[in-house]
Amino acid sequence: MGGLSDEELIEQVRKRGSDALGVLYDRYGQIVYSLFLRAARDSATAEDLVQELFLRVWNRAQSFDSHKGSLGVWILSIARNMAIDHVRSAGARFSARLRP
């Protein structure tokens, strides 16, 4: 299954092929982990965010449109938004602790 194109792979995910999700993880897991590690600065948090990302990909596979861009860009844009949300949330928690 590793030889499938991204379009074929997302189609298999849409059909709920768990093997396809594993191939997607193998293909994109390291790059999104790196992005999350850079944002979170904590490996455990980065790993949790990677799991959450692939859960979102699994649940939102129907919304992917190859006419709007590639699968990799779609996955990385979800990851980017998650990383921004995480940093904002962490910043809010930090500033709340500073308030008397």
Side-chain angles (χ1 to χ4, degrees):
M1 192 169 268
L4 295 177
S5 70
D6 281 352
E7 290 78 20
E8 294 167 326
L9 203 50
I10 195 66
E11 189 57 37
Q12 291 300 313
V13 172
R14 286 178 177 146
K15 293 177 182 176
R16 301 317 224 187
S18 59
D19 290 343
L21 190 63
V23 173
L24 266 183
Y25 179 86
D26 291 344
R27 199 171 285 181
Y28 294 105
Q30 188 59 47
I31 192 166
V32 296
Y33 173 78
S34 297
L35 187 150
F36 289 140
L37 185 59
R38 203 165 170 201
R41 299 180 183 178
D42 176 69
S43 60
T45 301
E47 290 169 6
D48 289 344
L49 288 167
V50 169
Q51 286 182 355
E52 175 65 26
L53 169 77
F54 283 98
L55 182 62
R56 287 184 187 189
V57 167
W58 179 258
N59 290 326
R60 298 178 184 174
Q62 299 299 332
S63 68
F64 171 70
D65 183 355
S66 62
H67 299 300
K68 293 182 180 178
S70 71
L71 180 61
V73 170
W74 182 67
I75 289 172
L76 287 172
S77 68
I78 295 170
R80 176 186 168 273
N81 291 336
M82 288 175 64
I84 290 169
D85 289 346
H86 173 76
V87 169
R88 286 180 181 159
S89 174
R93 286 191 304 269
F94 178 76
S95 65
R97 281 190 264 155
L98 295 178
R99 292 188 197 127

